[in-house]
Amino acid sequence: MGRVLVTGGAGYIGSHVMVVLGRKGYRCVCLDNFSNSSPRAVERAQVLAPGAIEAVEADIRDTEALRRVLAGADISSVIHLAGLKAVGESVEKPALYRDNNVRGTQCLLEALAGSGVRTFVFSSSATVYGNATAMPIGEDAPTAPASPYGENKLEIERMLAKLAGEDPSWRVASLRYFNPVGAHESGTIGEHPSGTPNNLMPYVCQAAAGLRGPLRVFGTDYPTPDGTGIRDYIHVMDLAEGHMAALTALPLTPPGTVMTVNLGTGMGHSVLEVVDTFERVNGVKVPRELAGRRPGDVPICYADCSRARQLLRWSSRRTLEDMCRDAWRWQVLNPAGY
Ligand code: NAD
Ligand code: UFG
């Protein structure tokens, strides 16, 4: 079995993916430019999966560097996570996002074209569905991304589908993540956004630790049981296992397969449910205040996960309690991140 090239492997999700793969006997080459991560994340992943992870510092837009890696590293598949992911920043800097995310993927594919590697797993996002109204969201729901970031994801999905359509030696899985949260149960790898966290769980952790002001609960008048927004939170370790399931499933599919698969739990939880669960399982207070709706937020978003069960033989196992416990353990052990 050849190695798995994990682009963006030093990031939040990539570090967990490498640990899951490494502990199951896969060997990984982590390729990252550390634009939004720390080499320490890789070092810690190496401790959790001894002997399984090699690190290369490079940019996915550097086709020559990619070719060098592909020439010497016995790679047989790719998990492509490298990308910029801040929705708000993508609105301010659409050209940067297109260059890094879309052109970056083109460069990666160009380098792969000259290698024998034809198995490709891509990090897509539920953000491609935009303001979906019918729940749960199935993969065939209309796509309507509401930000340049979301448009990048959809463009890359289409680029991959076209590639496999023209050259059936490719096998591709585009995985549409819902809301990844939590951390490895050891508390040694996790999520540490730079600056003030935009996302709910990292903000809850930092507010509970007294590092931030009260959590602002954005919107209390949504058409949901408690009036706050509902999302499909998925434990990052479940998500990581979903990637392994995709890597296992793809080689067994017919040539030219392109699968687009939601990775979520299929369950929605409201903001207040998350905060109350966090307080209960961790025995801490999360100072909070009620605030107006955040522009661009949808009221409810959760996945139909039947395709993942059917095609990947995968479904999430961990509960909201697990997500809250593991997120807090990471926060307590690493108050300043890496
Ligand atoms: P992250 O920022 O922690 O990880 C991304 C990694 O990619 C970072 O280590 C960064 O340094 C690296 N990177 C960025 N541009 C690069 C480049 N040009 N060359 C090499 N490395 C580069 O983010 P994450 O949360 O781990 O997300 C990983 C992937 O999953 C991203 O593609 C993201 O869009 C996607 N995704 C994330 C979420 C989420 O909520 N976290 C949801 C849906 C999809
Ligand atoms: N929320 C608060 N207060 C905060 C932060 C968030 O009340 O300080 C609420 C939001 O209003 C929303 C819920 O918590 O109702 C979840 O918000 P997040 O920002 O954590 O997540 P989003 O669903 O808005 O977006 C995330 C990623 C996107 C991705 C999307 C779908 O940030 O990149 O999930 O996968 F596209």
Side-chain angles (χ1 to χ4, degrees), residues 85 87 125-127 149 177-179 198-201 203 215-218 229-231 233 271 294 297:
K85 62 163 184 175
V87 176
S125 167
T127 198
Y149 166 72
Y177 311 160
F178 279 66
N179 290 57
N198 288 314
N199 296 121
L200 180 64
M201 190 63 90
Y203 197 99
L215 169 76
R216 284 185 297 155
V217 177
F218 292 136
I230 289 181
R231 293 292 183 276
Y233 298 96
V271 175
R294 185 172 66 174
D297 273 355

Side-chain angles (χ1 to χ4, degrees), residues 65 126 167 190 196 285:
D167 174 358
T196 307
K285 280 274 159 225

